Amino acid sequence: MAEYQLYCFAQSGNAYRAALMLNLIGADWEPIWVDFFAKGEPRTPEYRNDVNEMGEVPVLVHGKRKLSQSAVILTYLAERSGKFKPEGEDERLEALRWIIFDNQKVNGFLGPYRFLRTLARPPGDPAVLAFLKGRIDNNLAIVDKRLSSRPFVLGARPTIADLSLVAYLYYPAEEFGFDIPAQHKHIAVWLDRIKALPGWKHPYDLMPGHLLPGR
Ligand SMILES: N[C@@H](CCC(=O)N[C@@H](CS)C(=O)NCC(=O)O)C(=O)O
């Protein structure tokens, strides 16, 4: 058995943050596929009892530890590996600031938008989609401006703040109905920088369950 197990599925950008971090730090890890689409597995009592009371992926298993919330997982792995780790109080606070903004307002809106538009059956209400799209455009512009003056979110080197913010940003443009890198040029260059890191993989190559039957 690998040192780390990650409960995840290919379509989850929230889980991608953790999977990418594991790969970039060269961890010995394996995915445990969670059947979200056919079985709604995270919503089952078994999953909530045995895996995560919050009913979500990702969940990282390390020995007797089970950690959920990608921000917690990224922090744990950064502290253990010493990689992508914010250094000193100022960087730690700054990373936390961007990770919270990301969880709530960047990928926190982008994930549900893509889900309701492309994956949900039936698709989401157009008024809800329009609300989310307005917030997404605004918040991606904030990230783009931040990246206009530095190569990575905190500065010269990549940290867990970057690995949180990339969550949904490598998924195909047709899944969103708009092209994020084409519309945000600093985000585009930053995504290429992260893609160039040794160990980078696309979410569909890193986590199981892509191309589900009937989709
Ligand atoms: N803030 C959480 C978000 C996790 C999350 O929302 N995961 C989704 C999958 S992308 C989930 O498991 N949803 C279960 C459900 O909707 O029942 C994190 O960053 O880990």
Side-chain angles (χ1 to χ4, degrees):
M1 191 167 54
E3 182 182 0
Y4 295 96
Q5 285 88 42
L6 184 71
Y7 286 84
C8 60
F9 53 89
Q11 297 80 1
S12 170
N14 288 304
Y16 179 58
R17 299 179 177 120
L20 181 61
M21 175 77 175
L22 285 162
N23 237 47
L24 292 177
I25 66 173
D28 173 29
W29 75 281
E30 62 193 0
I32 300 177
W33 182 53
V34 175
D35 187 348
F36 174 80
F37 291 100
K39 293 193 187 148
E41 202 179 331
R43 298 178 183 180
T44 61
E46 293 76 22
Y47 189 91
R48 291 183 179 192
N49 275 334
D50 302 341
V51 183
N52 181 7
E53 65 186 328
M54 294 178 183
E56 293 180 335
V57 302
V59 173
L60 181 75
V61 182
H62 188 216
K64 290 190 185 345
R65 273 207 166 92
K66 262 196 195 118
L67 300 174
S68 81
Q69 292 300 332
S70 59
V72 171
I73 296 170
L74 290 175
T75 302
Y76 180 72
L77 292 172
E79 279 171 7
R80 287 191 67 83
S81 68
K83 296 177 183 167
F84 302 102
K85 188 178 166 196
E87 296 294 349
E89 190 178 42
D90 288 346
E91 272 199 12
R92 274 203 306 280
L93 293 174
E94 193 62 357
L96 186 57
R97 190 165 81 96
W98 282 96
I99 289 172
I100 291 171
F101 180 67
D102 172 44
N103 270 243
Q104 186 187 357
K105 292 190 162 179
V106 183
N107 286 288
F109 288 149
L110 206 44
Y113 178 85
R114 166 175 163 271
F115 175 74
L116 290 173
R117 179 189 178 276
T118 303
L119 301 170
R121 302 285 187 272
D125 183 325
V128 174
L129 287 169
F131 168 80
L132 289 173
K133 179 67 166 58
R135 304 301 295 155
I136 288 165
D137 289 344
N138 182 65
N139 298 332
L140 284 173
I142 289 170
V143 176
D144 196 62
K145 180 165 181 296
R146 173 79 180 182
L147 292 168
S148 66
S149 58
R150 66 206 86 206
F152 297 100
V153 174
L154 296 194
R157 66 189 174 83
T159 65
I160 55 174
D162 300 277
L163 301 185
S164 182
L165 270 157
V166 297
Y168 282 93
L169 301 188
Y170 291 111
Y171 286 94
E174 56 269 24
E175 295 183 0
F176 300 101
F178 57 99
D179 189 330
I180 296 168
Q183 290 169 14
H184 301 277
K185 63 177 193 235
H186 303 295
I187 288 180
V189 177
W190 165 76
L191 285 173
D192 284 344
R193 279 190 197 108
I194 293 173
K195 205 170 176 177
L197 297 173
W200 182 90
K201 279 192 181 176
H202 189 275
Y204 287 149
D205 297 325
L206 203 50
M207 300 181 291
H210 181 40
L211 294 178
L212 298 169
R215 286 185 178 271

